[in-house]
């Protein structure tokens, strides 16, 4: 027991080694099985699972079967260390395995085992090429055992995509998995969804995807379908509407509603037959916003105009809130009123970070050559442990101390000399750089010396694999960014071992030790000889930012001649410490993004679950009752007259006019009034339902989904603006994350009320339309979307330190509002 406490990794390896021995004991009996008997094991395992055995119970047999199937189909037999790696992945661990240890083959073990459940199993790779390569390469193993395998590609159509997800095992890029999840939550028919849940995933190159790319959210955006002229047109039209004649206002609630006269006026001015036809929704939306801009937002009180921009004034502190924008097109309406430039932007339809996407899986695991340095982050964000699996053969690569020069000019001179020396004796050289710019500098210098070389451009994945495939041959010189070549092995050509193996030359220390280790690990695979060295200068970014000038001055003081490097273990330690500091800074930024997005994740889950619930229903009566009840309660609550100490019934009657209900309220108590209003709304709802006949539910579904999507889209805009605003509050000794949580929940509550109000408004006024027209409009918007995974949002980066609970959300009841109450 004490042994395990001293070293958790050793303890786990000891456990895995025992299981590997059990698998080995089964090898001969499994080998003796015929092809039919071996492939028949899959059905046997599935039946045993149905009868109550666990995956852990059948693991040794299942792994033995995969090993034999692999030997028979692709001619590869898993080593013991690969079995151990497979066990760690099945347990939901991040598995560190050195380059060349056969991670692609290792993944077949836990993938097969978990696919026996019939639930979806995903393997997320770094690029399309690897997804296709690995699925085709390992596909025969799964197919021999009776399981289907598919892969996702970026330009794949929906039907092929759906087919790939229906397979037992699906390979694809992390980007595509994330985008498909977001796309599935924008569909208007359940049959248009492609994914089938999130059970088990293995993330290949886990450090790159789950850590390096965690700061860049996936964003689905579309062009704003509102030209600036439309805002200006409505700003002008709104001036022709007369308060109390064409519309009524409620200053306390900051709401307004058109009267019958106002509706007729709008229809005449806009040349439309029915303002409440679903295709005219945008006109109503713009008109109400333009009227709100006139009535509720006063210049030099609620906002100021500075340098041609509308800047909000905080109503509580009186301070300016630069960067903040009113949501739902209101800011643009104010800009139009003031005659300043209207800020047009692409509209965000959906967004999620890799952090929150991958936390949705019931079981998340990952594999990479370098993970141990980021163990704290894997634990804090993903609740996953890191296990370091030993190599099959001992590593005999020689890693030399850094050579440090005073200037970059001296550094480049030394790099070219070193490459030329190695090249003359035929030894292959892999040159690692931190940027494309540095790659090009070295390439130009090599051209001047007449040294033949390849420059690896990670944009072309097919070419990348080809270049890496030849990088270990005699006289090969390959210049690559440090990230290039992930997922592909550099195999040594004939006679290269005798020359010392592959020489890895790092030209700059990366901000992360892990990226440097990834580069070094390209050499010395599977017990091959190899050598690595970094040749750097005090002018390189990492050193310059962390004391490089001081060391440079020290070299000058010590009168070290130009071109003379320093080589010392202590300096290498100083560099590693500098890297640790930078890693800490980056972790803080990613953690902040994660904290912000986790707030959004809870809200996103609620919205997406509500959408799913609507997609599955055939009748919406119970849901509409719930919505009516909520709207009625808010109407009555807002009409309480504190002075008179009674409900203002004339105010209620006025509000009901927006729903085309003309009635004097007779009740006196709150309960009587609420019942009376509800009955009036319900009566009109039933009338509309009869008018539409069998088409009603289909139209109601599209209307509700479009309203939810529209409001959610505007909410995402408000959230982005809020992130910018709260970032500034740290100067006022306020915690931005707490401020964000507090205010985002207020915005969310307002959005939900707004969804309900809009649904009631629509259902009361909806005109008879062809449901296919609604469907076409919904799908037209969907077809124009863009998919972006680039820069982090304005603020870089609930401390529940566990997996997202969204996967455990129970099937929502029709008590939707109760589900909209997000846990704070």
């Amino acid at each position: 027991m004490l042994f395990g406490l001293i070293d958790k990794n050793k303890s786990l390896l000891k456990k895995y080694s025992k299981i590997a021995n059990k698998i080995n004991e089964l090898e001969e009996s499994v080998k003796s099985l015929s092809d039919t008997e071996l492939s028949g094991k899959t059905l046997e395992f599935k039946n045993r699972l149905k009868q109550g055995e666990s995956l852990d119970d059948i693991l040794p047999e299942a792994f033995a079967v995969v090993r034999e199937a692999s030997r028979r189909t692709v001619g590869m037999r898993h080593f013991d260390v690969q079995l151990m790696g497979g066990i760690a992945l099945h347990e939901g661990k991040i598995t560190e395995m050195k380059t060349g240890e056969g991670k692609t083959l290792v993944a077949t073990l836990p993938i097969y085992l978990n696919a026996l459940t019939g639930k979806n199993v995903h393997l997320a790779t770094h690029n399309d090429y690897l997804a296709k390569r690995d699925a085709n390469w390992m596909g025969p193993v799964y197919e021999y055992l009776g399981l289907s395998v598919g892969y996702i590609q970026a330009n794949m159509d929906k039907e092929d995509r759906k087919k790939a997800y229906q397979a037992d095992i699906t390979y694809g890029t992390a980007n595509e998995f994330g985008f498909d999840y977001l796309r599935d939550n924008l569909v208007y028919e359940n049959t248009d969804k492609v994914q089938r849940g999130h059970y088990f995933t293995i993330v290949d190159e886990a450090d790159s995807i789950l850590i390096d790319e965690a700061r860049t959210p996936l964003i689905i955006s579309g062009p704003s379908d509102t030209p600036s002229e439309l805002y200006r047109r409505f700003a002008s039209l709104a001036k022709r509407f007369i308060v109390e004649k064409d519309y009524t206002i409620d200053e306390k609630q900051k709401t307004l509603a058109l009267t019958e006269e106002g509706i007729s006026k709008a229809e005449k001015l806009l040349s439309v037959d029915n303002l409440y036809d679903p295709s005219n929704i945008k006109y109503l939306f713009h008109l109400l916003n333009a009227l709100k801009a006139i009535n509720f937002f006063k210049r030099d009180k609620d906002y100021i105009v500075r340098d041609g921009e509308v800047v909000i004034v905080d109503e509580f502190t009186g301070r300016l809130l630069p960067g903040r924008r009113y949501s739902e097109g209101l800011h643009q309406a104010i800009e139009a009123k003031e005659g300043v430039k209207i800020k047009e932007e692409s509209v965000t339809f959906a967004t999620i970070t890799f952090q929150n996407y991958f936390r949705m899986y019931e079981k998340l695991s990952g594999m990479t050559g370098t993970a141990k340095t980021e163990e704290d982050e894997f634990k804090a964000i993903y609740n996953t442990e890191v296990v370091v699996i030993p190599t099959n053969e001992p590593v005999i690569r020689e890693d030399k101390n850094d050579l440090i020069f005073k200037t970059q000019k001296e550094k480049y001179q030394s790099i070219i000399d070193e490459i030329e020396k190695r090249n003359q004796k035929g030894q292959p050289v892999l040159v690692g750089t931190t940027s494309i710019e540095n790659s090009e500098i070295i390439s130009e210098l090599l051209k001047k010396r007449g040294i033949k070389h390849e420059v690896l451009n990670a944009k072309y994945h097919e070419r990348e694999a080809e270049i890496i495939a030849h990088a270990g041959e005699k006289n090969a010189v390959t210049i690559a960014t440090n990230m290039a070549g992930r997922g592909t092995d550099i195999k040594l050509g004939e006679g290269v071992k005798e020359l010392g193996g592959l020489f890895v030359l790092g030209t700059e220390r990366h901000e992360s030790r892990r990226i440097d280790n990834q580069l070094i690990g390209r050499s010395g695979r599977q017990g091959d000889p190899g050598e690595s060295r970094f040749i750097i200068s005090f002018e390189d970014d990492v050193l310059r930012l962390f004391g490089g000038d001081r060391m440079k001055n020290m070299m000058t003081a010590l009168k070290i001649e130009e071109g003379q490097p320093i080589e010392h273990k202590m300096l290498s330690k100083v560099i590693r410490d500098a890297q640790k500091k930078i890693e800490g800074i980056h972790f803080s930024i990613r953690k902040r993004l994660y904290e912000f997005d986790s707030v959004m994740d809870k809200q996103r889950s609620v919205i997406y679950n509500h959408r799913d619930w609507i997609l599955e229903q055939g009748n919406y009566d119970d849901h509409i009752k719930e919505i009516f009840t909520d709207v009625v309660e808010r109407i009555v609550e807002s009409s309480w007259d504190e002075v008179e100490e009674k409900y203002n019934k004339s105010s209620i009657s006025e509000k009901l006019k927006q729903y085309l209900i003309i009635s004097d309220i007779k009740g006196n108590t709150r309960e009587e009034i609420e019942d009376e209003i509800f009955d009036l709304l319900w009566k009109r709802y039933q009338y509309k339902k009869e008018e539409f006949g069998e088409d009603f539910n289909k139209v109601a579904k599209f209307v509700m989904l479009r309203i939810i999507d529209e409001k959610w889209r505007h909410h995402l805009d408000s959230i982005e603006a809020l992130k910018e605003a709260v970032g500034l509050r740290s100067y006022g000794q306020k915690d931005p994350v707490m401020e964000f949580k507090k205010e985002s929940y207020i915005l969310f509550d307002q959005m939900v009320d707004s969804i309900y109000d809009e649904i009631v408004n629509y259902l009361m006024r909806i005109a008879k339309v062809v449901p296919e027209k609604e469907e076409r409009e919904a799908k037209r918007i969907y077809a124009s979307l863009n998919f972006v995974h680039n820069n982090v949002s304005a603020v870089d980066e609930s401390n529940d330190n566990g997996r997202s609970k969204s996967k455990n959300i129970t099937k929502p009841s029709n008590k939707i509002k109760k589900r909209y109450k997000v846990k704070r």
Side-chain angles (χ1 to χ4, degrees), residues 281 707 711 753-763:
I281 185 170
I707 288 169
K711 298 291 182 185
D753 288 345
S754 175
I755 286 172
Y756 280 15
D757 291 340
E758 196 97 348
I759 287 172
V760 175
N761 213 332
Y762 245 71
L763 292 177

Side-chain angles (χ1 to χ4, degrees), residues 717-760:
D717 281 347
S718 309
I719 288 297
E720 281 307 305
L722 178 62
K723 281 182 189 174
E724 286 186 34
V726 298
L728 301 170
R729 295 189 196 173
S730 54
Y731 297 114
Q733 306 304 307
K734 287 183 176 178
D735 177 3
V737 175
M738 291 311 296
E739 293 284 301
F740 179 73
K741 278 185 181 179
K742 190 169 65 185
E743 293 198 29
S744 68
Y745 284 125
I746 293 167
L747 287 174
F748 188 75
D749 284 345
Q750 289 170 350
M751 178 196 67
V752 175
D753 288 345
S754 175
I755 286 172
Y756 280 15
D757 291 340
E758 196 97 348
I759 287 172
V760 175

